[in-house]
Amino acid sequence: MQSAEVTELHIAVSLVTAITNQELLITQQRLNNISKLGLRNRARILGDHKVKVTYCYIEQRGPGCLFVWLTSCFHSHTGSPGSRRGTYSQEQSIKMFIRGRPITMYIPSNIQNYEDLKMEPPSERLELDWVYGYRGRDCRDNLYFLPTGEAVYFIACFVVLYHINNRTQRHYDKHTDCVRCLTLHPDKVRVASGQTAGVDKDGKSLQPCVHIWDSTTLVTLQQIGLGSFQKGVGSVAFSFADSGAFLCVIDDSNEHMLSVWDCNKGTKHAEVKNTNEAVFAVEFNPSDSTNIITCGKSHVYFWTLIAGQFTKKQGIFGKYKKPKFIQCFMFSLTGDVLTGDSEGNILTWGKSAADVKTLGKGAKETFQIMRQTRAHEGSVFTLCTLHGGALLSGGGKDRKIIRWSADLAPERECEIPENYGAVRTIADVDGEELLVGTTRNAILRGTFSDGFVAIVKGHVDEIWGLATHPSQNIFITCGHDRQVCVWNTEEHKLDWCISLEDYGLCADFCPNGSVVSVGLNTGRWMAFDLLTREVVTESTDGNEQLSVMRYSPDGSFLAVGSHDNFIYIYNVTESGRRYTRSGKCNGHSSFITHLDWSKDGKYIMSNSGDYEILYWDIAAGCKLLRNRFESKDREWASYTCVLGFHVMGVWLEGSDGTDINALCRSHSERMVAVADDFCKIHLFQYPCPKLKAPSHKYEGHGSHVTNVCFTHNDSHLLSMGGKDTCILQWRVNGGGVGDSRERLASASSTSTNSPEPAAS
């Protein structure tokens, strides 16, 4: 007598072989040939075993990617040869292919009719609650202060309006990709913000544009230049002399096209090629809208716009050393143009009469340097005018803010702390109090007398590691900037931050909540005391990066997933402060990507880079469970594995196996959040075991979403963008009652919907 397990394995292999032996390539024509094999609702005889394929769905998902979904009933005849009635054991499995690799998943016992399951989006929905971070590392002039008491800045696809006293946020969320520039209208109400082009999931470039919007109502008033700009919008500026009737835009094309637009009509007034060099800033002369200045790498240009035509004059450096970069400029109250450069100087520019002797007859007036003022060590990144004619300058290397009189005599200075980086931009609050944006993505608030404190902080490089506390409203993040940060979701602030020698890539809290472990890119990992921030232990497993840290439900074990293909197991004692390596899971043929513990803390489910799903008996000495069918009814304490029966439906059409970076099941086991490679967050019903399951989709990140995680009570979801360095906190609204397993079992037994058709 042959067991049901052996029969099932034999049949599954036979079915796949029957397809592969046709040597079918993944084209629509050959997909049709596969369907002609007659798998759906046909009985096939393979050896002594009878197979009925009750459900088959075949789908092509892009080049090199074929998904084949099979639900089969396998019958093993165990009666005597002469008996009329045999005894059958029935098991069900689903097989899908990712990049030609078969992945078999077994249907849990409580699902009676898989093909009748009806997938619906969850009743819960997400609402943006808070945006952590600020983009100062590579953007300029992107911090303003409104009469409403709000600071205006951007990160990822959001423009944030943060009330500096009430500590509340509002968000302008109409951009479709990363915001790159910002300017405030003379009326102090309207705002213009420009975005990068970005690409869609097929790599096709999207169209950048500028939005003009009302900062009071957050209503979009005008969309400027859709289809006119290339690559993105680098700089924007409103005119002043005519009460902001025009908007000047410089795009990110190779020629850095300079264009002027009618703000009310949204039409282009004039356009000209600027330069092939980098351009950092553009402004209208506040007293004459026909004069425009641009600056950047090795240049400052003075433009005149008359009757729709531009004329350009280049600033002449003459006897002065030509700096590599003109970083910024401003207009003084006397009408002079002041520039800040990479040599640390403030240059005062003025018009000079034509030099007939040098340039010959017919020479025209030129713009030349009238005065050079030594200001900073390193670059002068920003210049800001104050009421009364005084001005402020912000330095790079020296991190100083200097107040100057109208005739450029230094009056006061202060230095911002080193950990915040250089001064990127300055916004005047009331003539005394200032807001300062820094190159390490912080916004500081303060005065020359009292110093500065950070009111906005963020990561400064790609972030991957994310974990939420098991009982408190805090979470931890880590990334390529070597920072480990602990945040408070209620107070919306950074509780503490420490710097490491290496990249942090993954993290997890011990279930008692007093210790958090962080995995690094070198194979080393560290456990920190949450209160004292001291390292309680550290260890090294291999010499490749770690991708997963996961404590068992009772905290007695820690599993460490590595890119060396192993999962290292540690015994945990003394409330998470003592670790002893007890075993190693050896069996994956590629790097570990995700893993979860069973609710009883005895087993682990893991995924790898080559789309394997393996199960391990930790209590039996990290034994690989080769009969995966035995794990089909096992309950998991968490669900972060991106491959598994309960989350099959999260894979979208066209996925290639790497498009989902992370997922997380809610603690209520009612929903699962998914982080994808296309800047989106998806919220699915859990379980989600059927192809093309519907979901709620959310945008806002300007980079691949690296991780998602629910807070301990499912009140919020946290998501992280990789290179946009942004953390979004989403409020979870709505939701019903009922256990997910009961809902799924009920759906499978009562649903009357027709099954999805087979591919034809």
Side-chain angles (χ1 to χ4, degrees), residues 69 94 96 105 111 114 117-122 639 641-652 660 663 665 669-674 682-696 740-741 743-744:
W69 307 76
I94 298 175
M96 77 176 191
M105 282 160 283
I111 298 180
Y114 172 80
L117 283 178
K118 182 180 179 182
M119 293 290 97
E120 296 179 349
Y639 213 116
C641 286
V642 298
L643 293 172
F645 171 81
H646 295 83
V647 295
M648 281 195 308
V650 307
W651 289 91
L652 305 180
I660 293 178
L663 62 78
R665 184 189 68 189
E669 301 187 18
R670 293 185 51 84
M671 52 187 165
V672 59
V674 174
H682 303 258
L683 195 65
F684 290 89
Q685 171 189 294
Y686 180 88
C688 185
K690 290 200 73 174
L691 182 67
K692 295 185 178 180
S695 69
H696 303 306
S740 61
R741 289 165 295 165
R743 295 201 323 270
L744 188 59

Side-chain angles (χ1 to χ4, degrees), residues 121-138:
S123 55
E124 296 87 351
R125 290 181 179 270
L126 302 181
E127 177 187 2
L128 185 64
D129 179 41
W130 201 262
V131 177
Y132 297 90
Y134 157 72
R135 185 168 179 172
R137 70 191 188 280
D138 61 352

Side-chain angles (χ1 to χ4, degrees), residues 329-340:
F329 68 89
M330 57 164 281
F331 293 90
S332 70
L333 295 184
T334 60
D336 291 332
V337 175
L338 307 178
T339 62

Side-chain angles (χ1 to χ4, degrees), residues 33-332:
N33 291 339
I34 292 178
S35 68
K36 292 175 184 177
L37 290 175
L39 294 179
R40 180 175 172 81
N41 292 328
R42 288 253 189 108
R44 293 171 58 90
I45 304 299
L46 298 174
D48 295 328
H49 308 286
K50 184 175 183 180
V51 185
K52 183 178 182 182
V53 180
T54 58
Y55 181 74
C56 172
Y57 184 79
I58 304 170
E59 179 184 9
Q60 182 179 2
R61 292 190 171 188
C65 182
L66 171 66
F67 276 62
V68 181
W69 307 76
L70 304 174
T71 304
S72 305
C73 298
F74 301 96
H75 303 276
S76 178
H77 183 67
T78 58
S80 61
S83 63
R84 295 184 178 179
R85 186 173 182 180
T87 304
Y88 294 87
S89 62
Q90 175 173 311
E91 312 297 349
Q92 289 186 309
S93 69
I94 298 175
K95 186 179 296 289
M96 77 176 191
F97 284 71
I98 299 182
R99 289 192 172 273
R101 186 180 183 94
I103 304 172
T104 301
M105 282 160 283
Y106 299 94
I107 302 176
S109 302
N110 63 336
I111 298 180
Q112 303 301 316
N113 299 296
Y114 172 80
E115 59 268 32
D116 292 337
L117 283 178
K118 182 180 179 182
M119 293 290 97
E120 296 179 349
S123 55
E124 296 87 351
R125 290 181 179 270
L126 302 181
E127 177 187 2
L128 185 64
D129 179 41
W130 201 262
V131 177
Y132 297 90
Y134 157 72
R135 185 168 179 172
R137 70 191 188 280
D138 61 352
C139 292
R140 304 157 189 269
D141 297 324
N142 62 347
L143 176 62
Y144 294 88
F145 187 73
L146 297 177
T148 57
E150 295 169 303
V152 185
Y153 58 93
F154 59 76
I155 186 171
C157 302
F158 294 105
V159 181
V160 181
L161 297 90
Y162 174 62
H163 199 290
I164 62 174
N165 292 325
N166 299 341
R167 295 172 62 185
T168 56
Q169 278 188 358
R170 297 187 296 138
H171 312 102
Y172 180 75
D173 59 1
K174 299 303 186 292
H175 284 284
T176 58
D177 213 293
C178 281
V179 183
R180 287 289 312 281
C181 55
L182 187 70
T183 192
L184 184 61
H185 194 274
D187 64 13
K188 305 294 184 183
V189 175
R190 281 176 281 179
V191 175
S193 49
Q195 69 172 66
T196 189
V199 295
D200 61 18
K201 66 179 183 178
D202 297 321
K204 183 180 178 181
S205 181
L206 301 175
Q207 293 180 331
C209 63
V210 177
H211 288 194
I212 299 177
W213 48 279
D214 188 308
S215 63
T216 304
T217 63
L218 302 181
V219 172
T220 304
L221 305 175
Q222 195 70 253
Q223 190 178 64
I224 299 289
L226 187 66
S228 296
F229 308 128
Q230 294 184 32
K231 296 184 180 179
V233 178
S235 300
V236 288
F238 282 109
S239 59
F240 281 79
D242 46 23
S243 301
F246 294 98
L247 180 75
C248 187
V249 181
I250 294 181
D251 72 8
D252 288 332
S253 65
N254 294 337
E255 295 84 11
H256 296 98
M257 299 298 294
L258 168 64
S259 56
V260 173
W261 300 75
D262 186 307
C263 293
N264 295 321
K265 299 178 181 178
T267 55
K268 187 189 300 182
H269 183 60
E271 183 179 47
V272 68
K273 291 182 179 179
N274 190 347
T275 174
N276 289 331
E277 301 287 2
V279 179
F280 296 151
V282 61
E283 287 288 348
F284 284 93
N285 187 320
S287 59
D288 185 356
S289 295
T290 63
N291 293 331
I292 298 171
I293 297 180
T294 63
C295 72
K297 184 177 179 181
S298 302
H299 76 272
V300 54
Y301 293 149
F302 299 82
W303 302 85
T304 302
L305 176 60
I306 298 176
Q309 297 296 318
F310 281 102
T311 58
K312 177 178 72 172
K313 292 184 180 180
Q314 184 168 352
I316 306 300
F317 290 90
K319 65 180 181 179
Y320 297 96
K321 179 183 177 181
K322 186 176 184 179
K324 186 175 181 180
F325 298 103
I326 303 295
Q327 304 279 14
C328 57
F329 68 89
M330 57 164 281
F331 293 90
S332 70

